[in-house]
Every structure is written in C-alpha cells, then in structure tokens.
Amino acid sequence: MLSHDLMSFIAAKRRMGLAGFLTHRRLAADALRVALAAVCAGLLAAAAALAVLRAWEPQYTASFTVGPTARSSGAGVGLRAAHIGGGAESLAEPGPADEVFSDFSRYLELLRALPTARTLAEDPTFMARLFPGRWDAAAQTWRPPPGVWAAIKGGVLRLAGRPAWTPPDAVALAETLRRRVIVEAVGTGPLRRVSFRHADRDFALAALERLGRTADRHLKAEAARRAKALIDHIRSRFDPGPMAEERRRAVNSLLLEQVQVLTALGVDLPFAADVLEPAHAAAAPDWPDALMTTAASGVAGFALALAFCGYRLQRRHGDLA
C-alpha cells in the first residue's frame, strides 16, 4: 500500500514538472515572438521614417551671431557720436537699467516684424524665391497654394463667400518670418544667434544677411528722422534774433548735439547690432536630421510594439508575477 502511494506521488510530481516545463517553454516562446515583433516594428518604423525623409525637401540652416553695438572702447564697430560733454558713446547701445526696450531689442524684433517684411516684399525676386511653390515662373504670376489641406481650406473659404487664396504679401511674409527666423541666446550675455532655414543654401545666406541689414537700416532711418525733426523744431521754436548769451549757448548746444547725431548717422556703420559671426551654413542640408529622425522612429516603433505585445501576452497568461 505504501509503495503504491509513493509511486502515485512520484507520478504526480512528474506530471507537475512536465506541466511546469511546458508552461515555461510556452512563455519563453511567446516572449521570443514578442521581441521579434518589436524588432520588426522598429525596423518598419525606421523604414517609414526614411521614406518620409526622402519625400521631405531638405533644408539648410543659415545663422549669424550679433550683439549690441559697444558703448565704449575701440572693440565695438558700431555707430558712435560725440557728446557735448566729451567722449564717444554709441547711439544704439542699450540705455540705463530702467530702460525696458533698447535699440538692440528693437533690432531683434524687427527681424521678424511687419516693417522689415514690407521693405522685403517690394522685391518680387525675393518673394518668388522665398515662396517657390506659389510662383509660376512661366506665367510670371502667383498661383494657389498646393496641397490637399490648402484645397480644403480654399473650398471652405469659397463657400463662406471669401477669397479662396491671396498672393503672398507683406503680412504673409511677416508671418513666415516669425515661424522660420529663430533667435536664440548665446550663453548668458547679450549675444544672440539668428537662424533661418530654406531649401536653397545661397538664398538662405543672402536672405539672412538682408534681414539684418534691413532691420538695422530701418532703425537708423528712424533715428535720423527724429534728429531732423528735433533740429527743425529747435530752429522754428527759437527766434535767431537777439537773445541772452546763456540762452543762445543752450540753443546752440541743442542744435550741435543733434547735428552731430545726424552726421554720425550718415556713416556707413551698423547702428543697433554688430555682427560678430557672419552668416554661414553647412555644405549639406541639416534639417530634418536624418540620423536622429530615423533612430527616434525606430526606437518609438520598438517600444510601442513591445508594450502592446507584452500587454496581450499578460492578458493571455494572466498575471506573470
């Protein structure tokens, strides 16, 4: 009797061991299938990313580094004017600590603002190169924007009684500049790196340099306009006839200061920003980053497939813990 019970116990243990072995083997096979599915999903995601990159037009990133014109010393190459009290001081240097908006801040804002866009929009060649998909070179005219979304948007606007599309103008150019001109801080100082992307490397470089010149000239023209207005006001406000000597000296000092400012503004030097690093771009397109995009897509596809297959495996075998 004892021998029969012992044999039954041993047989039961063997069956349990075989069942456990089969269970672990099945789990190992399922885990291997999950890993293979995740690897295949990662490879497919990377291949899809490469296909998208081949269809996406690569772009060059042009950039330059600028800073405010120096207030003192010979290091700065910006515009300067001599003050009555002596010494040279930059007309464009940011003011005292309580000044909220300096000329350099205005310069950075004008790079993407409507006044600069209005000046650039007057050049049809510049507009045609900036919006190549909208310009019909054969007919020398603008055409509707391409794409499915543009067609849907145009249809909705047409149904609403509005124009389906309008040619690019200064407002559209300003919106494009706000999206594509990037201003980044360089370290913790006042230097800024300005970047602009375009499919044409030469145009990207030329457009960025032109943006900087146009913004600086706008500020210089505004400063000259103010100086001339002050000179005209002083001359019209004070009668050149007989006056007290002290008052005459004060009026002449005011006039002399504004004439010096106007004279300095006539010099062909930067007004608000000195270019420390001229515009440059890599010889090969750098956006979008093919390596990072492919790697990130592959990792994302692998992780998503692993999580999904692991969840299904857990649902199938219950709590594995």
Side-chain angles (χ1 to χ4, degrees):
M1 185 68 179
L2 181 60
S3 176
H4 181 269
D5 291 341
L6 181 59
M7 293 298 293
S8 299
F9 176 76
I10 292 174
K13 277 293 189 180
R14 286 177 177 175
R15 287 193 298 271
M16 291 177 61
L18 180 60
F21 172 75
L22 292 175
T23 300
H24 287 297
R25 185 176 180 180
R26 193 162 47 246
L27 288 175
D30 289 341
L32 180 60
R33 282 194 293 269
V34 168
L36 289 175
V39 171
C40 291
L43 293 176
L44 288 175
L50 287 174
V52 172
L53 287 172
R54 288 184 66 87
W56 200 298
E57 186 178 31
Q59 295 187 347
Y60 299 84
T61 302
S63 62
F64 64 73
T65 303
V66 293
T69 51
R71 179 184 294 274
S72 59
S73 83
V77 297
L79 180 65
R80 292 199 175 91
H83 280 245
I84 300 303
E89 184 174 350
S90 171
L91 298 176
E93 178 74 10
D98 57 351
E99 183 180 348
V100 179
F101 207 44
S102 67
D103 283 325
F104 185 60
S105 298
R106 291 184 177 91
Y107 168 84
L108 296 177
E109 183 64 25
L110 278 173
L111 290 173
R112 300 171 289 185
L114 187 59
T116 303
R118 282 175 176 164
T119 301
L120 296 177
E122 295 176 356
D123 184 356
T125 303
F126 180 88
M127 296 292 286
R129 295 188 68 182
L130 185 61
F131 302 98
R134 302 286 307 276
W135 178 251
D136 188 343
Q140 291 293 301
T141 186
W142 295 103
R143 56 191 173 193
V148 177
W149 171 247
I152 295 175
K153 180 181 178 181
V156 172
L157 291 174
R158 195 178 292 107
L159 290 174
R162 300 180 183 178
W165 67 280
T166 55
D169 55 4
V171 176
L173 175 57
E175 293 176 355
T176 301
L177 293 178
R178 291 189 191 100
R179 292 194 309 268
R180 298 172 63 175
V181 176
I182 309 299
V183 179
E184 300 173 306
V186 179
T188 58
L191 299 183
R192 295 294 183 269
R193 180 178 293 109
V194 184
S195 304
F196 173 72
R197 288 195 181 105
H198 195 269
D200 186 338
R201 181 180 182 273
D202 294 336
F203 177 74
L205 292 170
L208 191 61
E209 292 176 346
R210 189 169 178 180
L211 277 173
R213 290 195 305 269
T214 303
D216 195 79
R217 288 172 181 173
H218 179 86
L219 288 172
K220 182 184 283 191
E222 178 62 18
R225 185 189 68 83
R226 290 173 179 269
K228 291 178 182 178
L230 285 172
I231 291 174
D232 294 340
H233 175 74
I234 293 172
R235 287 175 175 172
S236 62
R237 178 68 176 81
F238 298 99
D239 187 1
M243 65 176 66
E245 185 62 26
E246 183 177 353
R247 187 177 183 183
R248 182 187 299 278
R249 284 199 301 267
V251 172
N252 289 336
S253 295
L254 289 174
L255 279 173
L256 179 60
E257 182 176 5
Q258 296 307 314
V259 169
Q260 288 177 327
V261 168
L262 200 58
T263 302
L265 288 171
V267 180
D268 187 18
L269 286 174
F271 173 74
D274 288 335
V275 177
L276 278 74
E277 188 178 49
H280 60 280
D286 57 359
W287 190 90
D289 191 327
L291 181 61
M292 289 298 297
T293 302
T294 305
S297 300
V299 172
F302 177 83
L304 290 175
L306 189 64
F308 177 73
C309 294
Y311 173 74
R312 291 195 61 184
L313 184 63
Q314 184 178 7
R315 290 287 301 271
R316 178 180 175 183
H317 294 282
D319 190 2
L320 299 179

